Amino acid sequence: MIKEMQNMGTEDHHSDTESVGSERASYSGPFSGPLVLNKRARKSARFNIPGETMMNSINGTARSSATNNEDDDEAYVEITLDVREDSVAVHSVKTAGGVADHEDPEVTLLARTLEKKSSFGSSIMRNASSRIKQVSQELKRLASINKRSTPVRRLDRTKSAAAYALKGLKFISKTDGGAGWAAVEKRFDTLTASTNGLLHRSQFTECIGMNKESKEFALELFDALARRRHIKTDSLNKHELQEFWEQISDQSFDSRLQTFFDMVDKDADGRITEEEVKEIISLSASANKLTNIQKQAEEYAALIMEELDLDNLGYIMIEDLEMLLLQAPQTVRGGESRILSQMLSQKLIATRETNPVKRSYNTTKYFFLDNWQRIWVFTLWLGILLGLFTYKFVQYRNKAAYEVMGYCVCTAKGAAETLKFNMALILLPVCRNTITWLRNKTKLGVVVPFDDNLNFHKVIAVGIAIGTALHVIAHLACDFPRLLRASEEAYEPMEPFFGKEQPESYWFFVKGIEGVTGIVMVVLMIIAFTFASPWFRRNRIKLPWPFTGLTGFNMFWYTHHLFIIVYTLLIVHGIKLYLTKEWYKKTTWMYLAVPVALYACERLTRALRSSIKPVKILKVAVYPGNVLSLHMSKPQGFRYKSGQYMFVNCSAVSPFEWHPFSITSAPGENYLSVHIRTLGDWTRQLKTVFSEVCQPPTGDKSGLLRADFHGAGGNNPPFPRVLIDGPYGAPAQDYKKYEVVLLVGLGIGATPMISIVKDIVNNMKAIQEEDDLEASYNSLGMETPKNDHSNGSSSNIRKGFKTKRAYFYWVTREQGSFDWFKGVMNEVAEMDTQQVIELHNYCTSVYEEGDARSALIAMLQDLNHAKNGVDVVSGTRVKSHFAKPNWRNVYKRIALNHKDSRVGVFYCGAPALTKDLRQLASDFSRKTSTKFDFHKENF
């Protein structure tokens, strides 16, 4: 093996290394010093670095050294190796006459980055010789560069740091291309079927499995890999693609770092200039849809150069890039995850019950514990329906009509009785003022699930649909045919109800008042039910022109108000019954009287309240993501709780439509605010009419467009007239009952949570101020005057406010969304001196931490937040996370921090996440001492 190393000057020895894509250089020069291999030893060897030209074995480019050695000893380099049974590592590199204190930090850092595992046996020395040649070649190159006056900071490449680093700079994630070479090869064969086995550069993104949004990034990756292999064409064969794939999917962090460096270093000179940094920042921002960072790429490039180019050389090296990548994230991002895994991996995972009987029992028990409020209400409702149906069925079983029409008439009348009850009951869940009063003023919320009022409304609608089907089918398919076919003797008892002349066709039943009202009601119900379905209401069905206007909230709103006609016809239909003539037996109006009167009062209250309490628009702002913010005056006596919502009407859009929106201002503020996202026809038109009176903001004001009220004598914009109605109760208003709350908002679903976050800060601030006031009076030996307290005394606030800790998770798709509540985020971060609220912003357009497409964004984020205290993604003082949260880890962390506590989980957003959050709340409530109560916002 010693002989092999001595012959390195005559052989161009290519050893197999794990550093894919690194340059392998041949070396010529004398060797001195023993190198004895034990199972574990540290030995040194001395190499001479001559001043002649060395040839690079990869690209054949000549590089000359201009270094003149002052003495013979300086012409040698001493390399210390760590040799073990299965590995060899470069420990240090220094001049032969030098000591450890005078080691060149750049060379030492380079040596450490070359540490690799090698194969057992003779391959150890082959790898060692290759490493030594690489170090010698790099030393030669470094010798031609002026030495930096300030030593480069050393990196701690400890086991923990390296372990975290291996998770970073992944070019292919599990979601795009993680299946391996077999999948890539299959796509290659498909894409090159008509190109003679050559893959064009434009198809590279699709072939390796990256998504279309990353096309620019993938093309830059293609160019970097091609530069490394001196490929000048825009096409690859399968062998070349496989080489590309092996480097892309290499698990070696150093290889990934080199690949990333090559992407930035477009001129392949081993240095990264500020312009190249700017280009890669812009590229990464584009791949992650971060438009704001793209616009500020030049500013951020200057920040990185300022941090890393300490000597103002105008460039940075690969070790600087490594330092930036590894320095902060290994503790900030990786630490908490490891701690959670260690502390909770075993404690919070319950063993699966193997006994099927016990497992079924536990499942049933937990289901009842989680849903007992819904179960008793649903059971009571079904019991009433069954009782009414049975009562009417038995009643008609004993009438003469049964002899002619049989069980059909019993079924029709039983279904009709349930219909009357359900048509009355369906109005109660939408009597919002009544429900809000019951929620706020009574204790019924303990046993009645007021949060499910709209879900119960939908369940009753299903009951109405079933009752209508039974009633209509029983009449049309059974009762009427029997009457038409009945003999004269059998028909005789029916003469008082249908006349002396026996009907001969269906037209007799259709032309009567009973028939006309029944048919019209059924048709109107079908229309209302159809457009109330999620497919039509949420525009999930795309109809061709000219039917495009038949979907959306507007159509739902108008068709739902057909109920006014339906109820009128129902009363008429109930008066003109075929088989009942006594007025006191015609009970339809009796069922409907109270609910209809109550609902009419609700609508009258809305009309009066909105006209008596007009609002004045104070500020309008249009934000990225099609969000309109309205700040308006608070009407006198308008009292609300955080988490509640109100209805908004704008006559310039439609004088009849009222739409619900969460209140984003806190109760203690002197204004009302709502944030409205453009999702349908009405919201789109509302944004349009307000945008017409707005202008681009001046100074440091937020928004894309903006308009402000300047006072009575000012030149104020002609704001459209807005009416409000509310407030109305919502699940989130009960957050004060919990000492710990988890607030989750998806996109615009953050609106009720923003109000809660501000309210928590205001309450904590008020309590703190009153405590300070009491302390100052007590220090003077005086009794605190009651009139010095807002609301009488601090105990009033404490009595209704139990929250001591809040976790707010806001998940949004676009970077621009953070502008909606930027001021609130900064205000909370500044005012929350007691660290009561923990804010977490997630931007799902950014690739998960560790992905090469977001690596530079993460580096930039750490730098800018450390220097300026501002997050580059959100533009706030709150640091943003990438991709989607791991909700299980969120629950784990809260369960760990708050043992034996009851946590209120409040969620507002898309229905897709509801099931997961509710299930996790249920699971952790069973498996840990922490109990999670899940609440979902419904509108």
Coordinates of all heavy atoms in Angstrom, one line a residue, residues 241 492 527-528 651 802:
L241 N -28.4 10.6 -17.9 CA -29.4 10.9 -16.9 C -29.3 10.1 -15.6 O -29.5 10.6 -14.5 CB -30.8 10.6 -17.5 CG -32.0 10.8 -16.6 CD1 -32.2 12.3 -16.3 CD2 -33.3 10.3 -17.2
E492 N -118.3 4.8 -1.6 CA -119.4 5.6 -1.0 C -118.9 6.3 0.3 O -119.3 7.4 0.5 CB -120.6 4.6 -0.7 CG -121.8 5.4 -0.1 CD -123.0 4.4 0.0 OE1 -122.9 3.3 -0.4 OE2 -124.0 4.9 0.6
I527 N -85.7 22.7 -5.9 CA -84.8 23.8 -6.3 C -84.0 24.3 -5.1 O -82.8 24.4 -5.2 CB -85.7 24.9 -6.9 CG1 -86.3 24.5 -8.2 CG2 -84.8 26.2 -7.1 CD1 -87.3 25.5 -8.7
A528 N -84.6 24.5 -4.0 CA -83.9 25.0 -2.8 C -82.9 24.0 -2.3 O -81.7 24.4 -2.0 CB -84.9 25.4 -1.7
S651 N -75.8 48.0 -0.1 CA -76.9 48.2 -1.0 C -76.3 48.4 -2.4 O -77.0 48.2 -3.4 CB -77.7 49.4 -0.6 OG -76.9 50.5 -0.4
K802 N -60.1 33.1 31.9 CA -59.2 32.1 32.5 C -57.9 31.8 31.7 O -57.0 31.1 32.2 CB -60.0 30.8 32.7 CG -61.2 30.9 33.7 CD -61.9 29.5 33.8 CE -63.1 29.6 34.7 NZ -63.8 28.3 34.8

